Amino acid sequence: MDSYPRARLHGMRWILVEASGRVLPEIEEKLADYAVRELKGRGIEIRLGTTIEEVRAESATLSTGETVPTRTVVWTAGVQPHPSLTRLSLPLDERGRIKVDDHLAVEGMQGVWAVGDCAAAPDPGRGHAPPTAQHAIREARVVAQNLAAELGIGESKPYTYSSTTAFVNLGRYKAVGMLGRFTFSGFVAWWLARTYHLSQIPGAFRKLRAVIDWTVSLPFQRDLSEVGSIGHPHPLRSEVYEQGGSHRPLA
């Protein structure tokens, strides 16, 4: 507030709407409960088992029948495979992901593999691997080895990784996380999350820069930035992405 005196919390109302019966299903329930208490302590209302039925220019209607006056709606959704997969004559599951076996080879095809967001990769702990970087990197290593084995170098291996590590950042010095059977919350979880993320940064120089930046910022308040006008982005529609390209809408 000192940095931006025109910004006022008075009159602001934050509502988190979650369709399922709990938040953060990827972590243990007691950690999710900690996150809920932390968010409620900041004045955030949480509506579980609720969906948004309609969004208008100045309001949003919930499945409970309540209409909430608002001009700011932030929508987060799961990752969806690229729609161009439907034109590649590949076997797809009900979610549009490529069906693969435990070696990440495409079912019914020879010499074809799939990894990342587009593949229904197996996860012994949860059925299918979530579309996250920690899985995609390991899937790529397995496919590289299996591709070499196909060329007569080395032996093919199955994909057996199951994630036992998860961290959710709740802001400065606050987080929840799990390492195997151990769970953490608060400052310890925040510190472990940063340590884990640091271990995943490629290159010693990048790691050193991150450590320096984080260490220098510790005694200071949060660094605030004013975004200003972000323009008027075009609506996101599936047909925009069908011809390939990046995650940005095609012109």
Side-chain angles (χ1 to χ4, degrees), residues 169 171-175 186-195 218:
N169 200 324
R172 191 173 177 85
Y173 305 143
K174 294 285 187 178
F187 178 83
V188 174
W190 176 83
W191 185 265
L192 289 173
R194 286 208 160 188
T195 303
L218 280 176

Side-chain angles (χ1 to χ4, degrees), residues 1-9 171-172 217 220-228:
M1 295 301 106
D2 294 334
S3 302
Y4 300 99
R6 289 185 299 171
R8 292 289 181 266
L9 293 177
R172 191 173 177 85
S217 66
F220 300 101
Q221 295 181 349
R222 294 181 62 183
D223 184 20
L224 301 179
S225 301
E226 184 176 11
V227 177

Side-chain angles (χ1 to χ4, degrees), residues 8-222:
R8 292 289 181 266
L9 293 177
H10 178 71
M12 295 179 63
R13 184 186 183 192
W14 297 84
I15 303 176
L16 172 62
V17 180
E18 169 58 48
S20 65
R22 55 167 291 193
V23 300
L24 304 175
E26 66 274 13
I27 62 177
E28 289 192 7
E29 190 168 358
K30 66 178 183 179
L31 295 178
D33 291 340
Y34 174 91
V36 167
R37 292 194 301 270
E38 182 67 27
L39 295 176
K40 287 183 176 180
R42 302 176 188 179
I44 299 175
E45 302 176 34
I46 298 180
R47 310 292 179 83
L48 301 178
T50 307
T51 59
I52 295 181
E53 299 296 310
E54 183 181 24
V55 177
R56 297 190 176 187
E58 297 184 354
S59 67
T61 301
L62 307 183
S63 58
T64 58
E66 178 185 4
T67 298
V68 181
T70 182
R71 298 188 65 176
T72 302
V73 177
V74 179
W75 174 44
T76 61
V79 176
Q80 181 179 5
H82 200 285
S84 63
L85 293 178
T86 58
R87 302 200 301 269
L88 298 181
S89 300
L90 298 171
L92 305 179
D93 66 5
E94 67 282 354
R95 296 179 58 183
R97 299 172 301 183
I98 302 173
K99 295 181 179 180
V100 297
D101 60 19
D102 60 349
H103 284 62
L104 301 179
V106 177
E107 293 183 0
M109 306 189 75
Q110 182 68 29
V112 182
W113 295 266
V115 300
D117 299 353
C118 70
D123 184 327
R126 61 179 74 185
H128 289 100
T132 60
Q134 61 179 331
H135 281 272
I137 292 173
R138 290 170 173 84
E139 291 167 15
R141 291 171 181 161
V142 170
V143 167
Q145 182 169 337
N146 293 344
L147 177 58
E150 187 80 5
L151 300 175
I153 304 173
E155 297 182 356
S156 178
K157 62 178 293 187
Y159 181 71
T160 59
Y161 176 74
S162 182
S163 175
T164 57
T165 302
F167 289 99
V168 179
N169 200 324
L170 300 175
R172 191 173 177 85
Y173 305 143
K174 294 285 187 178
V176 293
M178 52 186 289
L179 282 171
R181 59 189 180 89
F182 299 101
T183 59
F184 307 90
S185 60
F187 178 83
V188 174
W190 176 83
W191 185 265
L192 289 173
R194 286 208 160 188
T195 303
Y196 177 75
H197 292 156
L198 181 66
S199 69
Q200 300 301 307
I201 297 177
F205 178 69
R206 292 186 177 90
K207 284 184 171 67
L208 179 60
R209 286 187 56 184
V211 169
I212 293 174
D213 288 343
W214 293 347
T215 303
V216 170
S217 66
L218 280 176
F220 300 101
Q221 295 181 349
R222 294 181 62 183

